[in-house]
């Protein structure tokens, strides 16, 4: 018992240490500063131009992953709005967007989860990982997308359409998956804050999702960092509740709320996500994301540690 306690404490310390490793310290005085809304708009335009050029698109993803060096500003009141657009699916798609931030499947799909990766198959024989890493030139899923974006004052409106298909260079799972197959049916619960209420754990089963299944849901976040809500028309908005400055250098980053004090105490963040995912019918999956995201410099919270332990 004592040995388990020691291991647990060590695990906590390692987790905490990993949080500090991602920090790149305060930015230099001459660091380039970019408004988040402008950065999003510019990059969506670039993605539209490069979508049919695999080599240039791969190079682009490598550069933004490894070479970005600057301060991104998300000012209080700035808002990002997402609106989906229905498209006619191509034969190679297995899912595509509908209006109202919804997706629909066009093929039968089997899915299961292994650690941090989702595996999918169309015949329960050949399996693919959804893992994507431009540095390793791995692409699990490919997205045939079109983005339309427009900045109006302190808001950006993003209308998107997507068709999802297997990636160009996916990881193929060679071992046979020995898990029971469960067909999607009304009442199944895939995610819940109370784990005892989960009736279909994708870590232990293979879920069969028939063609014509619809995925829809709500996203609502409260707190003094960002707020998010789903509107009556099902569009989703994300708004900055205070000034946020992110210094990003390659794969490391640090935060500030005033551009003077960087690397805030991670224990002063209170992040509490509640993700509920269930089948509301034999062909409908519904997700409800409720979360709190706050920072209080004079308070201590273990919520980030608890969240990381769940993700490990």
């Amino acid at each position: 018992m004592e040995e388990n306690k020691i291991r647990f404490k060590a695990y906590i310390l390692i987790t905490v240490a990993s949080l500090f490793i991602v920090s790149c310290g305060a930015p230099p005085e001459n660091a380039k500063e970019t408004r988040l809304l402008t950065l999003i708009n510019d990059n969506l335009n670039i993605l539209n131009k490069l979508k049919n050029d695999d080599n240039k698109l791969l190079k682009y993803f490598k550069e933004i992953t490894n070479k970005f060096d600057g301060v991104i500003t998300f000012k209080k009141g700035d808002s990002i709005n997402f609106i989906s657009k229905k498209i006619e699916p191509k034969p190679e798609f297995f899912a595509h967007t509908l209006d109202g931030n919804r997706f629909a499947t066009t093929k039968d799909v089997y899915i299961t989860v292994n650690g941090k990766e989702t595996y999918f198959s169309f015949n329960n024989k050949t399996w693919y990982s959804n893992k994507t890493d431009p540095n390793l030139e791995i692409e699990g899923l490919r997205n045939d997308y079109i983005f339309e974006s427009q900045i109006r004052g302190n808001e950006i409106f993003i209308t998107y359409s997507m068709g999802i298909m297997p990636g160009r260079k996916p990881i193929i799972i060679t071992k046979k998956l020995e898990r029971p197959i469960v067909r999607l049916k009304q009442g199944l619960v895939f995610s819940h804050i109370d784990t005892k209420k989960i009736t279909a754990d994708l870590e232990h089963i293979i879920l069969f999702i028939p063609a014509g299944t619809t995925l829809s849901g709500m996203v609502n976040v409260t707190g003094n960092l960002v707020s998010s809500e789903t509107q009556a028309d099902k569009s989703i908005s994300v708004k900055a509740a205070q000034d946020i400055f992110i210094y990003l250098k390659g794969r490391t980053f640090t935060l500030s709320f005033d551009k003077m004090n960087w690397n805030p105490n991670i224990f002063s963040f209170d992040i509490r996500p509640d993700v509920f995912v269930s089948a509301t019918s034999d062909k409908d999956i519904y997700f409800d994301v409720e979360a709190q995201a706050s920072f209080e410099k004079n308070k201590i919270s273990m919520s980030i540690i608890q969240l990381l332990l769940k993700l490990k």
Side-chain angles (χ1 to χ4, degrees):
M1 182 66 71
E2 189 62 31
E3 183 180 354
N4 288 338
K5 289 182 179 179
I6 294 173
R7 287 180 178 176
F8 181 74
K9 290 179 180 179
Y11 184 60
I12 291 291
L13 291 173
I14 292 171
T15 303
V16 174
S18 67
L19 288 173
F20 287 98
I21 290 172
V22 301
S23 174
C24 52
E29 292 184 4
N30 62 345
K32 181 181 178 181
E33 189 170 313
T34 305
R35 186 185 182 194
L36 178 60
L37 304 190
T38 302
L39 184 67
I40 292 172
N41 191 61
D42 291 347
N43 279 278
L44 290 181
N45 288 331
I46 292 172
L47 286 173
N48 282 335
K49 292 178 182 178
L50 299 182
K51 62 175 291 185
N52 295 317
D53 192 320
D54 294 352
N55 292 328
K56 288 185 179 180
L57 194 61
L58 177 61
K59 181 181 178 182
Y60 166 75
F61 280 123
K62 285 183 177 180
E63 287 182 350
I64 62 173
T65 302
N66 302 313
K67 296 183 179 181
F68 188 91
D69 188 347
V71 176
I72 301 171
T73 64
F74 194 26
K75 302 300 289 290
K76 182 178 180 179
D78 283 357
S79 179
I80 306 169
N81 302 277
F82 300 92
I83 307 118
S84 69
K85 188 175 181 179
K86 181 180 178 180
I87 59 170
E88 291 300 319
K90 297 178 181 179
E92 58 267 34
F93 296 170
F94 67 85
H96 66 96
T97 49
L98 302 173
D99 294 331
N101 283 311
R102 298 176 299 147
F103 281 79
T105 60
T106 56
K107 296 180 181 180
D108 294 344
V109 185
Y110 299 84
I111 66 168
T112 191
V113 173
N114 183 37
K116 295 181 181 180
E117 295 180 40
T118 298
Y119 296 165
F120 63 96
S121 174
F122 305 109
N123 57 14
N124 195 28
K125 295 177 181 178
T126 303
W127 287 86
Y128 307 93
S129 168
N130 74 328
K131 181 178 180 179
T132 295
D133 188 328
N135 292 303
L136 298 176
E137 299 190 9
I138 297 170
E139 184 183 59
L141 291 172
R142 185 177 180 183
N143 187 349
D144 187 356
Y145 56 80
I146 297 177
F147 295 109
E148 300 172 16
S149 59
Q150 183 179 32
I151 296 176
R152 303 177 201 159
N154 65 344
E155 293 187 273
I156 183 171
F157 295 85
I158 302 169
T159 300
Y160 65 94
S161 61
M162 295 181 177
I164 310 300
M165 56 191 136
R168 284 158 282 209
K169 293 184 179 180
I171 296 174
I172 298 177
I173 313 306
T174 56
K175 64 180 179 181
K176 186 177 180 180
L177 300 181
E178 298 288 352
R179 295 181 178 183
I181 299 174
V182 176
R183 185 185 178 91
L184 184 70
K185 63 179 180 180
Q186 183 176 358
L188 290 178
V189 176
F190 309 105
S191 178
H192 198 288
I193 192 170
D194 182 355
T195 56
K196 294 180 181 178
K197 294 184 179 181
I198 296 175
T199 58
D201 186 349
L202 295 183
E203 287 273 7
H204 301 102
I205 67 165
I206 294 171
L207 178 66
F208 172 72
I209 302 174
T213 297
T214 300
L215 172 67
S216 62
M218 307 277 286
V219 178
N220 294 291
V221 180
T222 59
N224 65 4
L225 290 175
V226 296
S227 62
S228 175
E229 61 180 352
T230 304
Q231 310 291 346
D233 63 354
K234 302 303 181 182
S235 63
I236 297 173
S237 67
V238 179
K239 181 181 290 187
Q242 63 175 297
D243 291 347
I244 301 173
F245 305 92
I246 305 169
Y247 175 43
L248 189 62
K249 185 176 183 180
R251 295 189 176 191
T252 61
F253 71 94
T254 187
L255 295 173
S256 176
F257 303 110
D258 56 13
K259 288 200 296 185
M260 295 183 291
N261 301 292
W262 296 85
N263 291 322
N265 184 355
I266 61 168
F267 294 108
S268 295
F269 288 91
D270 190 8
I271 311 295
R272 300 178 185 273
D274 180 7
V275 181
F276 173 62
V277 184
S278 68
T280 55
S281 80
D282 292 354
K283 280 197 172 184
D284 287 282
I285 299 175
Y286 177 82
F287 63 87
D288 188 352
V289 180
E290 300 281 346
Q292 175 183 315
S294 299
F295 175 82
E296 299 289 345
K297 66 179 182 179
N298 296 322
K299 292 185 178 180
I300 299 297
S301 170
M302 296 295 290
S303 63
I304 286 186
I305 299 300
Q306 293 168 349
L307 179 60
L308 284 171
L309 287 173
K310 289 181 180 180
L311 295 176
K312 291 290 186 179

